[in-house]
Amino acid sequence: MRRTTSPFSLVLLGLGTFLLVLAPLLAWYVEPRAAVNPIDIDTTAVYTGRGSVFDTDRIETVPGRKITVTQRVRGNVEDSERSGNAVWDVTTTVDTDKSLPAADPHDALDFVPHRWVMDRKTTRPVHCCGEKPYIEGEAYLKFPFDVQKRSYQWWDNTLGDTVVLRYRGTAKIQGYTGYKFTGSVPPTRTGTRMVPGSLVDQKNRPQVLAEEWYSNHGFELVVDQATGRVIYAQTGPKRTLRAPGGKKDAAVLLDSRKVSFTTATQKEAVRQAKRDSGQLRMVGTTLPIGAAVGGFVLAVVGGVLVARGRKEPESPVPADTSGTPQPTLTM
């Protein structure tokens, strides 16, 4: 009897071996390359709250006004592809009910355009491609992938510097759990502005180069651990003017204890976080484990079938009944 190998057993063995090789490739090669920041992003986040704002018509600070902050982020695909980095153009507008809706964002209480360039994998700032301002730190608009339970240096564009955000445990936003970070900014001089002297208690001077000061009552960010996407943001900005060399605020331009993501912005951020983190988990965990388990089973079954084979009787050699001697091969 002799054994033969069936094509089916060879197919099982080959497929099992392929899946065993595929599993680590998915986890160690494909997944890290899937965790990259997009270049074609187009998203809008809206914050609302109440606070005091400077009314330019009345030339005074008015309390209790509704404040709306709109932040739009659009990827510049052409510059991103040319540089190999993620180039995002960002516009931030601050409005009251008086300036909303606005046909031109320049009519807002405050309008700030800028450009953020980052490494697509690490989210670290890259200084090229018309970046403005010179952004530093570990995170801005989003955190790096695979967020850790530690403090991060967050870029505050109004401050023009980084702020330490400390890990404060977890929090649920719209039923989805993320990492919570908090921080604040003490009163800090950020620049100067030419204003009427009367605005900063110097009525005898028609124009004064007043000092601009900024502080923040508190940041609170809740972040998706896998992708670094911010699913909830809260900020408490305060911007004031002081007379040159002054020790106290003379005029309040903006002051709010809390301006935060609207419910709609939270829901959209959570939806995108679930989608993106789910894709990373599938490529980095679910598929590799499934491929490893399936490959092992198929390889074992295929190997057993190959080892057993299929028994077939050997064909008998027909006997020579002619009596004629068989020729012998000689050299």
Side-chain angles (χ1 to χ4, degrees):
M1 301 290 285
R2 63 188 180 92
R3 297 177 183 274
T4 61
T5 302
S6 70
F8 178 69
S9 62
L10 292 177
V11 169
L12 288 181
L13 181 60
L15 181 59
T17 303
F18 170 76
L19 290 176
L20 287 173
V21 173
L22 179 64
L25 283 177
L26 287 171
W28 301 332
Y29 183 83
V30 177
E31 193 271 343
R33 285 158 178 76
V36 294
N37 292 303
I39 62 174
D40 58 349
I41 186 172
D42 188 350
T43 184
T44 300
V46 181
Y47 304 66
T48 57
R50 304 195 76 85
S52 300
V53 297
F54 189 81
D55 190 317
T56 54
D57 293 334
R58 297 167 57 175
I59 317 298
E60 64 179 357
T61 302
V62 181
R65 292 297 178 89
K66 182 181 178 181
I67 299 170
T68 301
V69 179
T70 306
Q71 190 173 64
R72 184 171 188 184
V73 183
R74 302 185 68 180
N76 189 306
V77 176
E78 183 178 353
D79 287 354
S80 297
E81 291 178 340
R82 184 164 46 243
S83 67
N85 303 299
V87 181
W88 292 2
D89 292 319
V90 187
T91 57
T92 303
T93 57
V94 181
D95 290 280
T96 62
D97 288 341
K98 181 180 177 180
S99 58
L100 281 177
D104 185 347
H106 293 82
D107 296 334
L109 184 68
D110 195 19
F111 171 73
V112 181
H114 54 286
R115 169 171 284 195
W116 182 32
V117 185
M118 79 188 101
D119 184 281
R120 296 190 65 192
K121 295 180 180 179
T122 67
T123 315
R124 288 276 187 173
V126 177
H127 308 300
C128 74
C129 317
E131 172 207 28
K132 185 180 180 180
Y134 190 93
I135 294 174
E136 299 178 299
E138 300 173 279
Y140 173 53
L141 300 181
K142 74 176 295 292
F143 278 60
F145 292 92
D146 189 24
V147 181
Q148 303 298 304
K149 298 178 180 180
R150 64 172 179 85
S151 297
Y152 282 84
Q153 294 286 336
W154 174 267
W155 175 260
D156 183 339
N157 204 51
T158 304
L159 179 64
D161 203 349
T162 58
V163 178
V164 177
L165 295 186
R166 293 178 171 81
Y167 175 73
R168 301 297 187 187
T170 61
K172 280 195 173 184
I173 303 299
Q174 302 298 323
Y176 188 77
T177 302
Y179 284 3
K180 179 179 175 180
F181 296 85
T182 64
S184 60
V185 179
T188 306
R189 179 179 171 178
T190 57
T192 57
R193 178 186 298 192
M194 189 66 71
V195 299
S198 59
L199 197 59
V200 290
D201 300 328
Q202 296 195 359
K203 298 179 180 180
N204 58 332
R205 301 177 61 183
Q207 294 289 321
V208 174
L209 191 62
E211 298 176 357
E212 292 184 312
W213 284 70
Y214 165 74
S215 61
N216 200 295
H217 299 292
F219 292 99
E220 181 180 319
L221 302 178
V222 181
V223 184
D224 177 45
Q225 188 277 330
T227 64
R229 179 184 292 277
V230 177
I231 59 175
Y232 176 80
Q234 174 183 314
T235 181
K238 183 177 182 180
R239 296 170 54 195
T240 62
L241 293 177
R242 295 184 184 182
K247 300 299 182 183
K248 63 179 182 179
D249 297 331
V252 174
L253 301 179
L254 174 68
D255 186 12
S256 176
R257 303 289 301 186
K258 177 182 176 181
V259 181
S260 61
F261 272 5
T262 63
T263 300
T265 297
Q266 293 176 38
K267 289 181 177 179
E268 177 61 16
V270 166
R271 184 192 69 80
Q272 294 185 25
K274 284 182 178 179
R275 179 198 63 194
D276 296 344
S277 62
Q279 291 174 350
L280 289 178
R281 185 167 54 252
M282 180 180 64
V283 174
T285 303
T286 306
L287 288 181
I289 291 176
V293 172
F296 177 77
V297 171
L298 291 177
V300 169
V301 173
V304 169
L305 292 177
V306 169
R308 288 182 176 180
R310 183 175 61 191
K311 292 182 179 180
E312 291 185 354
E314 295 187 10
S315 301
V317 178
D320 182 14
T321 58
S322 65
T324 304
Q326 296 300 313
T328 302
L329 179 63
T330 61
M331 298 293 291

